[in-house]
Amino acid sequence: MPDFRFDPISARWVAIASNRLARPMEFVPLKETLSSDIVCPFCKGRESETPTQLEVWDHQGQRVEAAGSDIDWSTRVVPNKFPSFPSDAPMDPFDTKVLSDFIQDFGPYDQSRRPGVQELIIPTPRHVSSFGDLEKSEAMISWAAIQTRFSVMKEKNGIEHAMLFMNCRSAAGASLSHAHLQLIGSPVLSQLMKDRLCRNQRYVEEHGKTLMQSVLEWEQQQRTRIVTETEDFCVVCPFASRVAYQMWVIPKHSFHDFASIDREMRDALALLTRKLLRRLDRSLDRPAYNLMLQAAPFGATDNDHWYVEIMPRLTLPAGLEWGTDIWINPVSPEDAAKRLRR
Ligand SMILES: [Zn+2]
């Protein structure tokens, strides 16, 4: 029997409906199609195809200054050639006095041309698609680059929040198959983020700990939705998983501010995300997925508990999800965790 579950972290209702797996299906689920006439701009030797790099890391995990195709690089960070946020401000976009000039009223609407920042982190010169395909050293060096760029973004005037994500394969929104992560610095805060801030603040005031700490304690008692656990992290399929095989990588300590975690913890996170995505690729025949670093807006980390979210894209949101934001998940998180533990 389906049941309704409430996720306190996102404040969303989800219908867990395992019975839907028995439905007759006429359509083939999300199929990957690759165009063969695209030359990959992220592969070694094609460095000139991207905008000038912001940072380059070598195989020893050192940042190198000069860079071009002659450098034997492991991770490159470049500006997004096709940004989704405004970035063409005619004046210095990070001057606070100028920022206010970009906010305009337009009838009943608010409009803003505040610039954002959009960077791509290319974690390997090799043409592989999944984070799980990376070498261990590549995974660790790319997370070092992520933390560095995240910290740089934190210092930028006018950037409220950073979202690090990876779209792997076309059904997850990727336009190129070469593995790449995106870091977006947003000049506006979404309502989702504002609501989450309020919920977290209220919870800490009432309980003296973060909401995620309570979730973590409960999951550690129940042990039915835990995929794996290490000294630093606990991986769970959340109680109200919105999609099948959704996973949260929850830090057990140093959870207020991702930017300030130490190297040991960051390396552990890199190896764990790689391991989980290898396992996902193997268990579910290399599905499309999104990976996201869920962290509080800058300057509001005191009540927050950052975590990494992995969302496999095995089904499409349809009318109910778009219309009500109530999601239907055909695989219970208990079954998903059991399969991912194997
Ligand atoms: Zn490539």
Side-chain angles (χ1 to χ4, degrees):
M1 280 288 280
D3 65 325
F4 272 115
R5 299 185 178 192
F6 185 72
D7 171 24
I9 302 291
S10 66
R12 269 198 190 89
W13 283 101
V14 175
I16 304 291
S18 314
N19 55 312
R20 290 176 61 79
L21 285 177
R23 280 175 305 161
M25 296 286 278
E26 190 177 0
F27 296 117
V28 180
L30 312 169
K31 265 251 168 259
E32 290 292 314
T33 46
L34 278 179
S35 168
S36 55
D37 53 353
I38 288 183
V39 174
C40 178
F42 299 155
C43 274
K44 172 85 182 138
R46 304 208 191 276
E47 291 78 2
S48 61
E49 303 281 321
T50 61
T52 308
Q53 57 242 343
L54 299 161
E55 270 180 29
V56 181
W57 297 62
D58 68 14
H59 292 280
Q60 281 68 49
Q62 301 297 318
R63 268 192 280 179
V64 284
E65 285 302 326
S69 52
D70 51 325
I71 299 282
D72 196 16
W73 58 273
S74 180
T75 290
R76 287 178 83 223
V77 182
V78 299
N80 194 329
K81 199 171 176 180
F82 304 101
S84 322
F85 286 2
S87 57
D88 54 348
M91 291 166 273
D92 177 7
F94 298 113
D95 181 333
T96 329
K97 290 192 282 309
V98 175
L99 282 181
S100 58
D101 298 336
F102 284 88
I103 305 168
Q104 302 154 4
D105 289 325
F106 184 60
Y109 308 112
D110 289 332
Q111 192 178 25
S112 167
R113 291 202 58 242
R114 286 177 173 183
V117 181
Q118 292 166 85
E119 300 177 356
L120 300 183
I121 295 147
I122 307 163
T124 174
R126 300 176 300 117
H127 194 79
V128 294
S129 61
S130 174
F131 198 86
D133 297 328
L134 301 184
E135 301 291 345
K136 286 180 180 174
S137 62
E138 291 173 337
M140 289 190 283
I141 293 165
S142 57
W143 270 102
I146 289 165
Q147 192 187 24
T148 303
R149 298 310 300 174
F150 191 91
S151 303
V152 169
M153 215 167 263
K154 195 175 167 182
E155 299 307 318
K156 284 196 169 158
N157 194 5
I159 298 298
E160 301 263 4
H161 176 236
M163 170 55 72
L164 177 276
F165 61 96
M166 174 170 180
N167 303 331
C168 178
R169 308 188 174 111
S170 69
S175 51
L176 292 169
S177 62
H178 190 129
H180 60 287
L181 299 114
Q182 304 190 45
L183 183 63
I184 289 199
S186 172
V188 292
L189 268 193
S190 67
Q191 193 57 42
L192 191 85
M193 204 52 69
K194 287 179 189 168
D195 291 347
R196 184 178 142 175
L197 270 180
C198 286
R199 270 198 311 281
N200 284 345
Q201 187 182 350
R202 211 178 315 132
Y203 195 90
V204 170
E205 282 165 9
E206 285 171 14
H207 299 88
K209 57 183 168 187
T210 68
L211 178 51
M212 192 59 106
Q213 272 175 291
S214 293
V215 166
L216 185 58
E217 284 163 17
W218 178 250
E219 294 301 339
Q220 284 171 320
Q221 279 173 36
Q222 297 261 305
R223 305 212 73 81
T224 49
R225 286 171 293 274
I226 292 182
V227 176
T228 187
E229 197 167 0
T230 67
E231 202 181 314
D232 303 305
F233 297 97
C234 185
V235 181
V236 303
C237 291
F239 174 72
S241 293
R242 250 184 301 165
V243 300
Y245 302 96
Q246 182 178 355
M247 283 184 270
W248 285 346
V249 182
I250 308 170
K252 295 180 182 174
H253 58 89
S254 313
F255 47 72
H256 285 314
D257 184 17
F258 166 75
S260 60
I261 64 170
D262 62 22
R263 182 184 173 164
E264 209 172 308
M265 190 173 184
R266 189 187 68 215
D267 284 350
L269 176 66
L271 296 178
L272 184 58
T273 45
R274 174 182 176 274
K275 183 172 148 185
L276 290 170
L277 292 165
R278 284 176 89 79
R279 207 178 281 189
L280 195 72
D281 281 339
R282 212 170 41 225
S283 314
L284 300 172
D285 196 18
R286 300 177 71 75
Y289 62 81
N290 300 106
L291 174 149
M292 290 155 279
L293 171 66
Q294 296 282 9
F298 296 137
T301 53
D302 283 0
N303 303 318
D304 197 66
H305 198 126
W306 65 268
Y307 61 102
V308 171
E309 184 165 44
I310 296 167
M311 304 272 277
R313 300 289 295 270
L314 301 161
T315 53
L316 281 174
L320 184 73
E321 287 86 350
W322 289 122
T324 65
D325 203 21
I326 295 173
W327 289 62
I328 300 175
N329 174 1
V331 180
S332 80
E334 294 77 15
D335 287 344
K338 196 189 284 178
R339 181 159 172 185
L340 290 167
R341 273 197 300 271
R342 283 205 296 263

